[in-house]
Amino acid sequence: MDTIPAGFKKSLSLYEFSFSCGQEVKIEKLVISWETARGIDCSNANRRCSNRNTKCYSETDSIDLTPPSCQIEGPSIPCESIIASYLPQIKKGPTSEPQLIWRIDGKDAEDESVDEGLQIDWRDYGSGYHLLQLVINWNDDHGRLVQSCTDSLRILVVEVPSNVIELISGTEVLND
């Protein structure tokens, strides 16, 4: 049982729950009621609001609490073309404009953007495994973080050496 003093102006948690990433989270038919008389506790809380000294609040619409999700769309092995484009795929999220932050191996990526995405010349990073990360932040009008989501993509860069075959007076020469 929680007792709230008169004039209390802080937010209180009503309920805690856990959910899996990407799972839809909704509250339906929310009803909150509270006793307003001194000395009354919640032992008879199952009584109808009209039969006690209470205040009630109800929400008829569904409240969608599903957090935003984001995913990087693009090749994880850019070996045909060493230059690759990556785009953010965003589901849900606040209506404000999102801020996209791209990182490669933990460092901010150079601004080689293409239509809200990122174009990368992997030759600048060398062959081997690299980690491409996308962080999407939504801020309020005061610049405070409202929501965010992240996604990572492990990239294998395979540089294929270019071989040039020249024909010099009937003899083939292979140049690397």
Side-chain angles (χ1 to χ4, degrees):
M1 173 183 82
D2 289 330
T3 301
I4 302 170
F8 191 75
K9 295 187 182 201
K10 285 177 120 179
S11 297
L12 293 175
S13 175
L14 294 176
Y15 187 77
E16 288 185 26
F17 56 92
S18 298
F19 59 94
S20 300
C21 184
Q23 182 179 1
E24 183 178 68
V25 181
K26 288 185 178 181
I27 296 176
E28 305 217 2
K29 300 178 183 173
L30 173 68
V31 176
I32 301 172
S33 72
W34 58 97
E35 295 280 352
T36 58
R38 181 180 295 254
I40 301 293
D41 62 27
C42 294
S43 61
N44 294 321
N46 59 350
R47 295 176 294 153
R48 298 178 64 102
C49 288
S50 60
N51 294 339
R52 54 195 174 117
N53 193 13
T54 64
K55 298 279 186 174
C56 290
Y57 168 82
S58 67
E59 183 66 49
T60 56
D61 294 333
S62 174
I63 302 170
D64 189 354
L65 300 174
T66 306
S69 66
C70 53
Q71 184 176 2
I72 299 171
E73 183 180 277
S76 61
I77 304 177
C79 58
E80 290 177 13
S81 169
I82 206 76
I83 296 175
S85 295
Y86 298 90
L87 295 172
Q89 297 299 315
I90 303 170
K91 291 182 183 172
K92 297 244 178 227
T95 57
S96 62
E97 190 68 29
Q99 174 194 18
L100 280 64
I101 302 166
W102 293 93
R103 293 189 177 112
I104 300 172
D105 298 332
K107 297 178 183 167
D108 288 350
E110 295 297 320
D111 194 302
E112 304 169 44
S113 60
V114 53
D115 296 333
E116 298 297 322
L118 184 70
Q119 187 173 48
I120 301 170
D121 185 343
W122 286 108
R123 290 176 291 204
D124 296 340
Y125 297 92
S127 61
Y129 285 100
H130 298 279
L131 186 65
L132 176 63
Q133 184 181 31
L134 170 64
V135 177
I136 301 177
N137 293 329
W138 287 271
N139 297 321
D140 65 13
D141 294 337
H142 303 289
R144 293 179 299 232
L145 182 65
V146 175
Q147 282 190 315
S148 69
C149 64
T150 62
D151 189 36
S152 298
L153 184 62
R154 191 172 180 207
I155 309 290
L156 174 59
V157 177
V158 180
E159 291 188 57
V160 179
S162 62
N163 293 323
V164 177
I165 299 176
E166 295 178 6
L167 185 60
I168 301 175
S169 28
T171 308
E172 290 183 24
V173 178
L174 179 63
N175 294 326
D176 283 327

